Each structure stands twice: as C-alpha cells, then as structure tokens.
Amino acid sequence: MSLTRLQRQLLVLIVIVLGIIDYFIISYYNANLLELNPRIWCDDKSSLQEVISCVDDIYQNFSMQQIWQQKVRQQEIRLGTRVPKITHLKTSYQEIHNFSPIKEKQYRVGIYKSQAELAVYDKFADLEVIYPQINTPGVILQSPNYPDKNNKCKFETKNLLTSEIFHNWTYPGDSPFLSKDVLITQTKNTYKIYTASYEAVRLKNNKALYVVDIASFSKGQKGFDYSGTHYIYFIDDYDAQKDYVSNVEIPQSYKQDKNLYLNCPPYPRMISQMLNPATPEKEIKLSADKRKNPDTLFVNVNNHTFAVDIAQKGEEK
C-alpha cells in the first residue's frame, strides 16, 4: 500500500528528527569522552593478570578506542607534532602497608579559561610546578615566572613540556578520576618530574580494575621530555561517586590564605572541580624515599599503598 502525502511527510520528519538526535548524541559523547563508563563484564574472581587480559581484549574492540585514537590524531594536527606514544617502564612494584611521605600534598587555585580551578603544587630547590586537576586528556605542567619580584600579581606561566602530552590512561572513556599529584626529584643534579593519576574499569559484582599511572619527565634541551610511565594494577570495590564536586563555594581557609592563589584579587567566589570531602580515599598521593637520587616511588589511592622500585634496573623502557 502506497503512503499518502501526509504519511510521507511525517516519515521524512521522523527521519530528520532521528538524525538530529543521533548527531547531538554523538556530539555529546565526543565532547564528554571522559565521562563515559561502560561496564565491562570481566570476572573479578579471576587472577589479576587474567582480568587485565580480559579487559584488554574487550577494549581493543570497543568503539571508544577508535574515538580516542581520533582525538589523538586531532591533537597531532592542532599541535603540528606527533603525540609521543605511551611507553611502559620496566620496573617492579609491590603493595606495602604504609610509608612516610617526604612532602605534604599542596594545592593552588588558578584561573583557567575564565574559571577557578584547583591544581596540585610542588616546589623543590629552584623549580616550582603547578599541575591543574582539570578533566582533560592532556598533561599540563606549568611553572610560574615572576618578572617583578616585588609584585606577585605579575607572573607568567608556560607548559614545561616540549609538547602537550596525551595522558597515560590505558582505557580512556571508561572512568578516569580527577585527583592527581606531582613530585619533583633530582637525579645526578638534574630535575625529574613525576605525575600520578588513575582510572577504574568496571568489572562484575561492583568491582573494578584500578590502573594507576606514574608518568616520568626528564629535563630536555627546551623543557621536559616524556620518558615513560610506571603502571600499577589492583582490583577493589567500585564506588561510582566522583572524587570531586563541581562549582562549589571556595572554602574559607582558601580565602584567608592568599599564597594559595595564582591570580590576584578580586578572588573568585566559586571553584570548579573541588575535592569531594565524602571520598577522601580517592585522593591520590605521590611521594618517594628521598628527593635526590630516589630509589623508590610511593603512591597511595583507594586505601592501597604501593612501592615502585626505580633503582634496581633504573627506569628502563
């Protein structure tokens, strides 16, 4: 039976509406790549290596892998350079009960794209580093420069990396968390910078495969070059509650301590990506046994602490 003119018009309208909806859904997914969290049905009761292999196999055939690769290519075109490939550093790690951190985790508040953002901060010798805790696939390591030593309001910041490095998330698009940390060390009187972050891949029974990455950056001719990444894996309970809350009133302690601010008054009243006090265990912390010529790195997250041996073989690729 042939369709009437009205039915044909309605059919065309439906197709157009579905096309528009599909376009906005795809656009939303692309714009919110890091917010997607597909459940991957790997058995949490298998051995750790079996779970990693299972997740790897599923993820290689997952559409998010293709979207992520497209994002990398777009980044390369925009920067006019090749994005460095992720390099696994061949070092061993083991879980330990506790350790004595060599530094307190410090924060700063800065303005990024006209919005107040929280950043982790470290300083050692003459090097000062700011690592914004923004939900971005890029690693941005900045060092403030004060041309006028008597006016801290006049400062410049630039990325310490020779190029913008794509993050070391192994399974982008699943569940990376916001919390990050940064550590400055010296090896043979040459600065080395480490950054830490983590992600979680959903498993069965409300469990997750946690993947911690500790990226290493060594001093180069024009800045710091990416050297490679230490990866740590473990399985634990998964809580979908985020490790941060967005757009909240700046705490009074921040308002009182002007040293926390990278920008000058008037200070903003709201801050984006504030730590979530309800999930303190999701705050990642990075440390080492010593600042100069360290032998061991320490990282703590989700009530797990690991020691990474970087002395035995060195940070081999």
Side-chain angles (χ1 to χ4, degrees), residues 5-267:
R5 181 179 179 183
L6 178 61
Q7 288 174 326
R8 286 196 299 271
Q9 290 175 337
L10 287 174
L11 183 60
V12 171
L13 180 61
I14 290 172
V15 171
I16 292 174
V17 170
L18 290 175
I20 293 173
I21 292 173
D22 186 56
Y23 169 79
F24 279 109
I25 288 176
I26 293 175
S27 298
Y28 174 82
Y29 280 4
N30 285 338
N32 296 273
L33 175 66
L34 308 179
E35 294 296 328
L36 303 181
N37 185 18
R39 180 184 291 274
I40 297 183
W41 294 102
C42 293
D43 192 351
D44 65 296
K45 293 182 174 59
S46 301
S47 69
L48 180 59
Q49 190 55 54
E50 288 174 336
V51 170
I52 295 172
S53 298
C54 174
V55 172
D56 283 343
D57 291 341
I58 292 177
Y59 194 80
Q60 292 306 316
N61 299 315
F62 183 45
S63 61
M64 195 56 59
Q65 174 80 327
Q66 300 172 2
I67 295 174
W68 184 256
Q69 291 173 352
Q70 182 181 6
K71 293 286 184 183
V72 172
R73 287 193 293 270
Q74 292 172 352
Q75 186 82 336
E76 289 179 333
I77 294 172
R78 184 177 70 83
L79 295 172
T81 184
R82 294 284 295 175
V83 173
K85 301 299 182 183
I86 293 176
T87 301
H88 290 246
L89 295 175
K90 296 180 181 179
T91 46
S92 61
Y93 65 88
Q94 61 178 337
E95 187 162 7
I96 60 176
H97 294 296
N98 52 53
F99 69 100
S100 299
I102 60 173
K103 71 177 183 71
E104 292 289 334
K105 189 171 182 180
Q106 299 185 66
Y107 296 93
R108 293 292 185 269
V109 178
I111 300 297
Y112 301 93
K113 296 183 178 180
S114 303
Q115 194 163 17
E117 297 280 359
L118 196 66
V120 287
Y121 167 89
D122 193 22
K123 183 177 181 180
F124 179 62
D126 295 326
L127 184 60
E128 191 173 1
V129 176
I130 299 152
Y131 186 19
Q133 295 202 132
I134 51 180
N135 204 352
T136 174
V139 174
I140 302 172
L141 286 178
Q142 296 177 319
S143 183
N145 177 42
Y146 304 96
D148 185 351
K149 294 182 179 180
N150 298 320
N151 188 352
K152 293 297 184 179
C153 291
K154 291 184 178 180
F155 70 94
E156 304 166 344
T157 57
K158 66 176 182 178
N159 196 359
L160 291 172
L161 306 181
T162 54
S163 63
E164 190 173 343
I165 308 296
F166 252 75
H167 213 284
N168 304 292
W169 290 323
T170 308
Y171 309 106
D174 197 71
S175 185
F177 288 90
L178 177 72
S179 183
K180 304 172 183 178
D181 203 359
V182 61
L183 173 70
I184 302 171
T185 66
Q186 279 187 343
T187 300
K188 297 179 181 179
N189 294 322
T190 301
Y191 287 118
K192 291 195 70 171
I193 301 175
Y194 294 94
T195 64
S197 64
Y198 72 108
E199 56 191 317
V201 181
R202 296 285 300 275
L203 305 174
K204 292 181 179 180
N205 302 319
N206 292 320
K207 298 285 187 178
L209 171 67
Y210 286 82
V211 186
V212 178
D213 71 73
I214 304 175
S216 173
F217 301 93
S218 300
K219 195 74 172 66
Q221 293 182 347
K222 297 182 179 180
F224 284 81
D225 297 323
Y226 170 67
S227 302
T229 306
H230 305 278
Y231 285 97
I232 297 171
Y233 302 87
F234 66 94
I235 296 172
D236 203 351
D237 295 334
Y238 177 81
D239 180 3
Q241 189 173 7
K242 288 183 177 292
D243 59 335
Y244 67 94
V245 290
S246 297
N247 299 322
V248 296
E249 191 77 20
I250 291 183
Q252 190 64 32
S253 59
Y254 275 47
K255 294 179 181 179
Q256 293 172 348
D257 190 352
K258 294 182 180 180
N259 292 325
L260 288 171
Y261 290 86
L262 291 178
N263 56 296
C264 291
Y267 301 127

